[in-house]
Amino acid sequence: MGDNKWSQLWLDYEAKKGAAKNAEEDKLKIDFEGFDPENRVIKSAVKELNKAFTDTDKKIVISFVRNDEIKKEGYSACGVIGGSDNRKVDADTTELVVSSSDENGALYGAFHIIRSKLMGEDLSCLCATKAPSNPLRMMNHWDNMDGSIERGYSGRSFFYENDDIVINERTVDYARLMASIGINGVVINNVNVKWAASDLITTRFFDKVKELSDIFGDYGIKLYLSLNFASPIEIGGLSICDPLDKEVIEWWKNKIKEVYEHLPELGGFLVKADSEGRPGPFTYGRTQADGANMLGDIIAPYGGIIIWRCFVYNCTQDWRDTKTDRARAGYDYFKGLDGEYHDNVILQIKNGPMDFQIREPISPLIGGLTRTNQMLEVQIAQEYTGHQIDLCYLIPMFKEILEFKTYCAEENDTVADVVSGRTMGNSLAGMAAVINTGNDYNWTGNDLAAANLYGFGRLAYDTDLDSEEIAREWVKLTFNLEKELEDKLVDMLLNSREIYEKYTSPLGIGWMVTPGDHYGPSVDGYEYSRWGTYHRADHLGLGVDRTDKGTGYAQQYYPENAQMYNDPKTCPENLLLFFHHIPYTWKLKSGQSLIQYIYDVHFEGYSKAQELLESWKSFEGKVPERTYNCVMHRFEMQVNNAHEWCDQVNSYFYRKSGIPDEKNRPIY
Ligand code: GCV
């Protein structure tokens, strides 16, 4: 987009416009039945359609029709050639009817039409009925008010600069992009709430937060804030933040009243408590439920909700202690309180029991809780999956997570069922992603990482979509490629997670990353530290014994899964080292020994990374030059990274085990 400072990603209407670019603008007519054209969300839908349809050479009538039978935030979008009987339009006109029961549904219907148009579909044949799988579909920003982003790989924050809030046209484009993929909630600040961010709930920032909230509101998005549990101390001048203390409770009552006077549309708060040094109820001998319920009760009269994170574990562990297991912590802390959380409290649970590794089992807490609102947290910021340098399309991983059968009920027992509210019939449920955006021109550092941003939203709205469908949509919307290259790019995306896994940490072992930064290999980087992230390799074998004879983590699952994981013969091989300490000579199903597999898979991963780079060369001249160069540079870095991983991991395990590579490849 010429001189613009940021791209329009999948909403780049200009780049998609064809021969009729300068067609008369009055070809598009929009009607309303049961919707107020002055409603802010409807106005956004209309504005968007007008932008997207300036190149139409046919007459188009789009009618927004209220239909109360359609599910909340759902829509049907259908084309009728020559117009329907009751809405009399000329024969050469395409009529499209968007039916929905609410404004968000109407907006999503409009974006569906736009998507179909951009993908070159025949709108007169359009016929889609959709309803969101998840009631809450949220993005979590880990943006700090100084403009930095915790685990951000795409530049600085576009929300903050120098401890102040920035609002400009990019803010509006951000809201448009999020609405176009069905996002209906955004947490604007890092869960580690420190310094100026503690003041987001004070008069220092109310006006600007309100402005942001209004922009989001135009696109059907609710704004949420991460909350500092120690606010009574840090901004209130109290000496404690004990959730059961009368003075503390009174302070919160006044504070939340004040917040809602200024921010009447605030969705609620996200809280990271008792985690990685953040304050919380444990300091006062209180439970996580005590903390969450106190805030929940106070915010309830305003219609707000409390999203309470379950990422609570001991981050000062002694590595010599082989019984304490970080993987157990979420379940150990939260399962016993199942049923005690109040109705407007949701527990937000990371997909795995550790921390967004390239492969982990599903957290046993999801579905382990049967009487508590639950929400799934995934990370599209590629903290452990390549920093948006290495290509790693994460939607296949998210699909695996959603499809995992927990056995928590006789039916509707997958993760998708639990977090959508289908299992328990609750409406406070959903999916959240730690977002991968920043103020880079392309928003996501690597142009191809936008597939994760797009994909998360689409998947959270419709968990039945498959990874390939989503990848193809994104490719079609973002580029103008011939079929052969489109297929090639889709394949590159679909294979990328396995490639990353191959050259990094195989069979579920995870970690082995550079401490702190989390990019690049350092096999023992976390091995003798306090973080609870160990591989336990010795000269005989590798992996963590999490069976009933080890840490007992496998027993946190329902019996079907517990038994499967407990036995190395039935444990899925891609998680073998997560659950078991395995000798290097162990024979895998392929017949390879564990050590030979480690060597082979790392050489293979490195060579596949080189293939990705080679494949990208065929996109020269076929995608914008800026994109081509940006991605090429990243593939070059990925190849170096894969090389380092391959050499370091193989050398490490060769030196540990003393067993040579059967194929005599260079290992140092
Ligand atoms: C926001 C991991 C990350 C931290 C992050 C934390 C969390 O430990 O490395 O940067 O903090 O997860 O999810 O709270």
Side-chain angles (χ1 to χ4, degrees), residues 65-336:
V65 177
R66 195 182 283 276
N67 175 349
D68 291 335
E69 276 166 28
I70 292 188
K71 288 201 187 122
K72 193 171 171 206
E73 295 187 297
Y75 60 86
S76 92
C78 292
V80 196
I81 307 171
S84 59
D85 293 347
N86 55 348
R87 266 184 286 277
K88 308 249 170 10
V89 294
D90 303 338
D92 65 339
T93 300
T94 304
E95 185 188 7
L96 290 154
V97 180
V98 179
S99 312
S100 61
S101 59
D102 53 34
E103 285 73 15
N104 273 21
L107 180 63
Y108 301 150
F111 275 118
H112 188 114
I113 291 176
I114 292 172
R115 212 162 38 236
S116 305
K117 173 185 187 290
L118 296 179
M119 290 196 293
E121 288 168 11
D122 179 354
L123 293 184
S124 59
C125 299
L126 187 67
C127 195
T129 302
K130 300 280 174 192
S133 312
N134 292 293
L136 291 168
R137 306 172 300 279
M138 302 185 61
M139 291 296 186
N140 290 183
H141 283 261
W142 285 359
D143 294 30
N144 299 314
M145 294 202 67
D146 62 0
S148 63
I149 302 178
E150 184 153 351
R151 312 305 175 186
Y153 312 108
S154 323
R156 309 261 310 159
S157 171
F158 47 76
F159 283 146
Y160 312 107
E161 203 173 77
N162 302 324
D163 286 346
D164 206 351
I165 295 177
V166 178
I167 297 174
N168 55 30
E169 269 308 300
R170 190 168 193 157
T171 324
V172 179
D173 282 345
Y174 168 78
R176 292 174 50 227
L177 286 161
M178 293 303 102
S180 74
I181 51 173
I183 296 299
N184 65 359
V186 169
V187 184
I188 60 166
N189 62 308
N190 188 356
V191 287
N192 291 325
V193 189
K194 296 179 191 165
W195 309 299
S198 300
D199 288 349
L200 282 167
I201 52 168
T202 70
T203 45
R204 180 175 172 198
F205 292 119
F206 280 147
D207 290 349
K208 286 201 174 157
V209 177
K210 168 82 168 63
E211 227 183 295
L212 268 182
S213 163
D214 285 345
I215 292 173
F216 290 180
D218 288 347
Y219 289 88
I221 299 167
K222 272 194 184 291
L223 182 146
Y224 294 75
L225 291 170
S226 292
L227 197 65
N228 183 344
F229 194 77
S231 298
I233 303 172
E234 290 195 21
I235 58 173
L238 303 190
S239 58
I240 53 169
C241 59
D242 178 351
L244 300 190
D245 178 86
K246 281 208 178 82
E247 215 185 330
V248 170
I249 296 173
E250 206 43 40
W251 186 87
W252 276 117
K253 279 190 179 156
N254 291 328
K255 177 47 74 185
I256 289 180
K257 179 168 181 280
E258 184 195 2
V259 167
Y260 272 89
E261 274 161 13
H262 290 89
L263 307 171
E265 293 178 330
L266 184 76
F269 297 116
L270 173 65
V271 189
K272 170 176 178 175
D274 288 312
S275 170
E276 302 185 325
R278 301 313 299 146
F282 283 168
T283 310
Y284 306 96
R286 312 300 186 195
T287 66
Q288 298 296 296
D290 290 332
N293 290 340
M294 179 273 293
L295 290 168
D297 292 350
I298 297 175
I299 208 173
Y302 307 96
I305 61 172
I306 297 298
I307 305 173
W308 192 269
R309 294 178 86 229
C310 296
F311 188 56
V312 179
Y313 69 98
N314 174 8
C315 65
T316 57
Q317 196 182 322
D318 183 339
W319 59 270
R320 299 162 191 85
D321 165 9
T322 53
K323 284 291 165 195
T324 303
D325 181 3
R326 170 167 164 178
R328 293 188 56 115
Y331 191 95
D332 283 345
Y333 284 125
F334 288 89
K335 168 68 182 168

Side-chain angles (χ1 to χ4, degrees), residues 378-410:
V378 296
Q379 192 187 45
I380 51 177
Q382 290 174 239
E383 177 178 355
Y384 296 96
T385 53
H387 284 203
Q388 285 138 241
I389 295 170
D390 300 27
L391 184 64
C392 193
Y393 176 58
L394 292 162
I395 308 306
M397 180 202 286
F398 301 163
K399 283 292 287 184
E400 271 172 30
I401 295 163
L402 290 165
E403 284 165 4
F404 180 74
K405 194 169 163 56
T406 67
Y407 294 97
C408 68
E410 278 182 10

